């Protein structure tokens, strides 16, 4: 009897110890508010001929929308994370995080399904750092988010991030999970993170496999479309935080073949390359935040031409952006303001006439907001933002950024004569609760 009692006590002790070595946490954010969005398109004429607006085609057209929104200052989400102590300084962990559309009760997956599309990773960590596998954020996205008073959510979102997401949607590669993939997140990624014991230095490297099938009798197989690699390295100590990030994504990689399977020489290679530098300094009475960014859309194509052989065409479009922001603590609240801008430099390509007109554009955004903390987990907020677009008929799919919602610009004329993105504004009034 005594032996049984001792054995039971020993088993209970072991079970308790094992439980203490591991943990699972349920966490999330529910953010909802009333929002207004408007987008105005203005008439333009690049034909050289006189074209006048009419009653059915006025000088400007505005689309607007009022609705109950989610994720005004923080993305609504639901997640599970856990860590197990393996001993010897090693630990294993997982992170499953799903997007929520709490205004409609839907998830963030395809057709509103519940899916762990924000993050889905498993990792092993120790004195060497952390190895992380799965769907995760790109290193280059973090600078757009961290070095912005409003992050990348709500009407005040950093316009650098909005344009970056638009590039991914318009140029690729995207994925079945999200069109903005390889800007915001990557599938099939292998990541490495420096240990948090380097005196304020931090960093990460990431490589995302394209997972395209290699077919032995198909020239140029496999395509590397969807591949991503990048890194981010920074230093944070006391009031200072500064980080440099770089990433390259393959948007297209095709080799032309004819019906017989022979090479045609018609090939396309396109890469989206991003570099950014972000910094913040906390002066206690206010915090100053800034970011510089450049995205290059580099395309190269080859086409066979009689007599001349292969004709190569190159194009290198640039999106140069920046943000300057400030946050000011006021009692239990925080005043936030930012100005962000992106300039699009259109490269007409190596085969263009030197006298051809360039088709550049620019977009700027001013945002002001206030966040009032009712507790550590609950806050009320109000944000208003205004956007101005110059020469929006040039590259409207990317430069035509709005403040949110589905109130879009009216964009017509293909740069010749019609309507082009011109102005947008929006506001959010809401409440956020974290758990």
């Amino acid at each position: 009897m005594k032996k049984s009692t001792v054995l039971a006590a020993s088993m209970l002790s072991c079970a308790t110890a094992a439980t203490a070595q591991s943990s699972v946490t349920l966490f999330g954010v529910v953010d909802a508010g009333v929002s207004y969005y408007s987008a105005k398109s203005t008439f333009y004429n690049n034909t050289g001929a006189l074209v006048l607006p009419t009653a059915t085609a006025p000088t400007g057209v505005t689309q607007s929308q009022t609705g109950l929104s989610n994720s005004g200052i923080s993305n609504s989400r639901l997640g599970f994370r856990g860590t197990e102590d393996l001993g010897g300084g090693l630990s294993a962990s997982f992170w499953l995080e799903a997007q929520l559309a709490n205004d409609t009760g839907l998830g963030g997956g395809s057709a509103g399904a519940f899916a762990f599309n924000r993050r889905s990773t498993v990792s092993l960590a120790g004195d060497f750092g952390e190895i992380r596998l799965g769907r995760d954020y790109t290193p280059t996205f973090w600078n757009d988010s961290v070095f912005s008073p409003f992050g990348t959510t709500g009407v005040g979102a950093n316009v650098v991030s909005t344009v970056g997401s638009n590039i991914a949607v318009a140029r690729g590669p995207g994925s079945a999970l999200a069109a903005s993939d390889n800007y915001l997140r990557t599938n099939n990624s292998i990541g490495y993170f420096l240990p948090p014991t380097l005196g304020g230095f931090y960093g990460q490297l990431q490589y995302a496999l394209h997972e395209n099938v290699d077919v032995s009798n198909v020239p140029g197989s496999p395509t590397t479309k969807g591949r991503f690699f990048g890194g981010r390295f920074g230093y944070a100590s006391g009031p200072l935080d500064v980080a440099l990030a770089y990433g390259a994504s393959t948007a297209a990689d095709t080799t032309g073949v004819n019906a017989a399977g022979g090479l045609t020489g018609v090939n396309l290679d396109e890469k989206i390359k991003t570099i950014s530098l972000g910094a913040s300094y906390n002066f206690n009475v206010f915090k100053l935040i800034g970011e510089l960014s450049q995205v290059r859309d580099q395309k190269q194509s080859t086409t066979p031409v009689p007599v001349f052989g292969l004709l190569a065409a190159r194009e290198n479009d640039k999106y140069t952006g920046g943000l300057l922001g400030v946050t000011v603590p006021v009692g239990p609240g925080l005043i936030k303001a930012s100005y962000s801008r992106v300039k699009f430099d259109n490269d007409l390509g190596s085969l263009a006439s030197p006298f051809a007109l360039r088709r550049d554009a620019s977009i700027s955004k001013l945002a002001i907001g206030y966040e009032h903390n009712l507790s550590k987990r609950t806050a009320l907020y109000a944000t208003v933002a205004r956007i101005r677009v110059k020469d929006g008929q040039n590259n409207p799919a990317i430069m035509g950024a709005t403040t949110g919602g589905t109130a879009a610009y009216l964009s017509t004329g293909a740069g010749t004569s019609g309507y082009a993105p011109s102005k947008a504004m929006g506001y959010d009034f809401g409440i956020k609760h974290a758990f």
Side-chain angles (χ1 to χ4, degrees):
M1 190 73 177
K2 183 179 294 186
K3 290 183 179 181
S4 299
T5 303
V6 171
L7 179 61
S10 299
M11 293 177 62
L12 180 60
S13 176
C14 291
T16 303
T19 302
Q21 291 176 345
S22 62
S23 64
V24 176
T25 302
L26 169 69
F27 68 96
V29 173
V30 180
D31 181 324
V34 175
S35 299
Y36 172 82
Y37 317 101
S38 72
K40 181 179 181 179
S41 298
T42 303
F43 183 80
Y44 71 96
N45 177 23
N46 291 332
T47 64
L50 181 62
V51 180
L52 297 177
T54 65
T56 56
T59 57
V61 176
T62 300
Q63 299 190 53
S64 61
Q65 176 188 27
T66 302
L68 185 70
S69 62
N70 68 81
S71 307
I73 59 170
S74 185
N75 285 295
S76 292
R77 70 197 84 160
L78 178 64
F80 305 87
R81 59 176 180 257
T83 301
E84 181 186 12
D85 186 352
L86 301 175
L90 285 178
S91 64
S93 62
F94 76 93
W95 191 301
L96 300 174
E97 186 174 325
Q99 183 177 334
L100 295 178
N102 46 279
D103 52 331
T104 60
L106 300 176
S110 177
F114 183 85
F116 294 112
N117 57 339
R118 286 181 54 83
R119 178 176 162 184
S120 177
T121 62
V122 63
S123 61
L124 184 67
D127 294 338
F128 58 86
E130 179 187 357
I131 303 293
R132 187 184 296 177
L133 307 177
R135 178 173 172 81
D136 203 358
Y137 293 94
T138 67
T140 42
F141 165 76
W142 282 116
N143 273 8
D144 291 349
S145 179
V146 172
F147 299 111
S148 166
F150 300 94
T152 58
T153 60
V155 299
N158 185 353
V159 80
V160 175
S161 71
T162 308
V163 170
S165 181
N166 287 348
I167 295 171
V169 172
R171 305 305 306 166
S175 78
L177 202 55
S180 61
D181 276 355
N182 280 31
Y183 161 69
L184 179 55
R185 300 177 178 88
T186 57
N187 288 333
N188 318 310
S189 73
I190 303 170
Y192 168 72
F193 294 77
L194 291 174
T197 56
L198 301 179
F201 290 96
Y202 61 88
Q204 68 175 109
L205 293 172
Q206 186 184 73
Y207 179 83
L209 294 96
H210 53 76
E211 293 194 349
N212 298 316
V213 177
D214 185 355
V215 182
S216 61
N217 65 336
V218 175
S221 174
T223 172
T224 59
K225 178 179 180 179
R227 183 175 62 185
F228 174 91
F229 66 88
R232 180 173 182 256
F233 298 93
Y235 175 77
S237 179
L240 176 66
D241 187 3
V242 59
L244 177 69
Y246 174 81
S249 171
T250 302
D253 176 24
T254 60
T255 301
V257 295
N258 57 28
L263 296 173
T264 65
V266 180
N267 304 323
L268 173 64
D269 179 80
E270 182 175 6
K271 289 183 172 60
I272 309 296
K273 298 180 179 180
T274 302
I275 186 168
S276 66
L277 175 67
S280 65
Y281 195 91
N282 193 340
F283 293 90
N284 293 325
V285 292
F286 69 91
K287 182 178 181 180
L288 192 63
I289 305 169
E291 182 193 15
L292 295 174
S293 170
Q294 187 176 89
V295 181
R296 290 179 179 265
D297 182 3
Q298 298 180 332
K299 296 182 283 289
Q300 178 175 318
S301 62
T302 55
T303 306
V305 177
V307 181
F308 295 100
L310 286 177
L311 188 63
R314 295 179 179 84
E315 187 176 344
N316 184 12
D317 290 339
K318 293 188 297 184
Y319 301 83
T320 303
L323 176 143
L324 184 62
V326 65
T327 61
V328 182
V330 181
L334 190 68
I335 297 174
K336 301 183 286 187
S338 70
Y339 175 80
S340 51
R341 186 176 188 271
V342 175
K343 175 72 166 59
F344 166 61
D345 293 309
N346 174 223
D347 181 7
L348 297 176
S350 56
L351 302 181
S353 165
F355 304 104
L357 294 176
R358 297 180 68 87
R359 293 295 182 91
D360 302 338
S362 64
I363 180 171
S364 59
K365 183 176 188 177
L366 178 65
I368 300 173
Y370 175 69
E371 183 177 344
H372 186 82
N373 296 303
L374 300 176
S375 70
K376 291 183 178 181
R377 298 189 299 160
T378 304
L380 302 175
Y381 62 86
T383 309
V384 61
R386 187 174 183 85
I387 288 175
R388 290 185 179 274
V389 185
K390 182 180 179 182
D391 296 322
Q393 68 274 11
N394 303 329
N395 201 3
I398 295 175
M399 297 301 290
T402 66
T403 53
T406 56
Y409 295 107
L410 177 63
S411 183
T412 63
T416 302
S417 177
Y419 290 94
S422 175
K423 299 177 183 179
M425 71 87 61
Y427 62 73
D428 293 322
F429 293 98
I431 180 172
K432 177 198 77 171
H433 178 72
F435 58 91

